[in-house]
């Protein structure tokens, strides 16, 4: 395990310029998403009655909001805009992945990074696999969401609601995690030229070690997030603000390190 972590770290450091690029991509995505949500929510909140509204005023506000959302086309442009943003992300993210995966393979075999070349050569299979994974990951929602809503409306207490919802949510999380690991291996194969199904079979054969190294890296990332959050809460102020903003760069570095470690784990088996 230590060898995979060290080799993954070396690959991640060699791709630090990609870490910066991905950090800027995430920063711009977060900024535009925040501005979009703010443009939708702020006008609605400004119509909310005073600091201590009566029950009648609050109910009138809710009724008016429901009428505007359900009986008019007020929400249509916002839905189309949000759909456009999500579609752009669904297109751009696998392109970045294609360049990164191909470059990891080239760096490991030849010593040089090939990000743009990877996008040109491997974007089609990587994008297709990314979309298939997204569809299969969201498929259980068609069955789980209506039942979760019914449980929310019918349950008489929080423990009863959790008892009804948590088993399905846990199975959904497990399904999505396994899918992600298997499709990630297939994307590695598509980017490296090894072959999609050969990489899939290789990942299945070594799934325990592959999943274990992934869980370790996810645990390291979660621990880093908890430490950053704890320090920000203890030392609130300018330092906390700088740490909070800088953590997004660390989180991006952790993501690249995780992918590089997973790739190294599969390639050395």
């Amino acid at each position: 395990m230590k060898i995979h972590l060290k080799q993954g770290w070396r690959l991640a450091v060699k791709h630090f310029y990609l870490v910066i690029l991905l950090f800027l991509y995430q920063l711009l995505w977060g900024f535009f998403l925040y501005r979009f949500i703010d443009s939708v929510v702020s006008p609605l909140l400004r119509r909310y009655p005073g600091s201590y509204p009566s029950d009648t005023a609050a109910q009138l506000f809710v009724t008016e909001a429901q009428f505007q959302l359900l009986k008019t086309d007020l929400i249509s442009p916002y839905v189309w805009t949000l759909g456009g943003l999500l579609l752009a992300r669904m297109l751009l993210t696998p392109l970045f992945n294609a360049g990164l995966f191909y470059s990891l393979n080239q760096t490991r075999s030849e010593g040089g990074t090939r990000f743009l070349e990877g996008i040109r050569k491997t974007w089609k299979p990587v994008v297709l696999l990314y979309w298939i994974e997204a569809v299969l990951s969201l498929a259980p929602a068609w069955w789980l969401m209506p039942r979760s809503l019914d449980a929310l409306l019918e349950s008489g207490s929080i423990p009863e609601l959790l008892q009804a919802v948590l088993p399905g949510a846990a199975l959904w999380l497990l399904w999505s995690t396994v899918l992600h690991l298997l499709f990630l291996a297939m994307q590695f194969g598509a980017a490296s030229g090894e072959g999609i199904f050969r990489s899939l079979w290789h990942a299945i054969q070594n799934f325990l070690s592959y999943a274990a190294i992934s869980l370790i890296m996810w645990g390291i990332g979660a621990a880093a997030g908890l430490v950053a959050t704890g320090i920000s809460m203890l030392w609130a102020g300018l330092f906390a603000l700088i740490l909070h903003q800088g953590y997004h760069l660390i989180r991006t570095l952790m993501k690249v390190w995780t992918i590089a470690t997973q790739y190294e784990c599969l390639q050395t088996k």
Side-chain angles (χ1 to χ4, degrees):
M1 291 293 181
K2 284 185 178 180
I3 296 176
H4 298 321
L5 294 176
K6 290 180 180 179
Q7 292 296 332
W9 175 255
R10 290 171 184 170
L11 285 174
V13 170
K14 288 182 179 180
H15 290 82
F16 193 75
Y17 73 96
L18 283 182
V19 173
I20 301 297
L21 183 62
L22 289 171
F23 166 70
L24 294 176
Y25 165 63
Q26 297 287 348
L27 185 67
L28 290 174
W29 164 257
F31 172 76
F32 284 115
L33 185 63
Y34 166 78
R35 294 300 301 171
F36 169 72
I37 295 176
D38 181 66
S39 67
V40 175
V41 174
S42 294
L44 292 176
L45 293 180
R46 282 195 291 267
R47 295 182 60 83
Y48 192 77
S51 302
Y52 301 98
S54 63
D55 293 340
T56 303
Q59 184 61 40
L60 180 62
F61 170 80
V62 173
T63 302
E64 180 186 4
Q66 289 177 340
F67 177 81
Q68 290 183 347
L69 292 176
L70 300 178
K71 301 298 184 180
T72 69
D73 58 354
L74 177 68
I75 198 174
S76 296
Y78 300 116
V79 171
W80 283 106
T81 303
L82 181 60
L85 287 173
L86 293 177
L87 179 61
R89 186 174 179 84
M90 291 287 290
L91 288 171
L92 290 175
T93 298
L95 292 181
F96 280 107
N97 290 345
L100 176 59
F101 299 161
Y102 182 86
S103 186
L104 288 174
N105 177 70
Q106 294 300 310
T107 303
R108 191 173 185 273
S109 59
E110 301 178 8
T113 59
R114 300 287 191 275
F115 176 70
L116 294 178
E117 180 182 340
I119 293 178
R120 291 195 302 269
K121 289 186 175 181
T122 65
W123 71 272
K124 291 181 181 179
V126 173
V127 169
L128 180 60
L129 289 169
Y130 181 87
W131 286 358
I132 294 174
E133 178 193 347
V135 171
L136 292 178
S137 297
L138 293 174
W142 183 264
W143 182 81
L144 287 174
M145 295 305 291
R147 286 159 179 78
S148 299
L149 181 60
D150 292 340
L152 177 64
L153 297 176
E154 296 174 2
S155 59
S157 62
I158 297 297
E160 184 180 349
L161 174 63
L162 294 178
Q163 186 178 3
V165 172
L166 280 182
L171 290 175
W172 190 6
L173 178 61
L174 179 62
W175 164 259
S176 299
T177 302
V178 173
L179 269 182
H180 173 70
L181 292 176
L182 295 180
F183 272 87
L184 183 62
M186 288 191 285
Q187 291 176 67
F188 286 154
S192 65
E194 182 183 359
I196 292 174
F197 296 107
R198 184 178 177 182
S199 297
L200 175 60
W201 177 242
H202 188 60
I204 293 173
Q205 287 179 313
N206 301 279
F207 188 77
L208 290 180
S209 58
Y210 177 39
I213 200 72
S214 300
L215 290 174
I216 290 173
M217 291 304 304
W218 292 338
I220 294 174
L226 290 175
V227 169
T229 302
I231 294 175
S232 299
M233 294 177 66
L234 290 174
W235 287 288
L238 180 61
F239 174 76
L241 178 62
I242 296 173
L243 177 63
H244 178 73
Q245 297 301 323
Y247 172 70
H248 295 291
L249 177 61
I250 298 174
R251 186 178 62 180
T252 306
L253 177 60
M254 286 296 307
K255 180 179 179 181
V256 175
W257 183 18
T258 300
I259 292 173
T261 303
Q262 292 169 319
Y263 175 79
E264 183 67 26
C265 176
L266 290 177
Q267 290 300 310
T268 53
K269 289 296 181 182

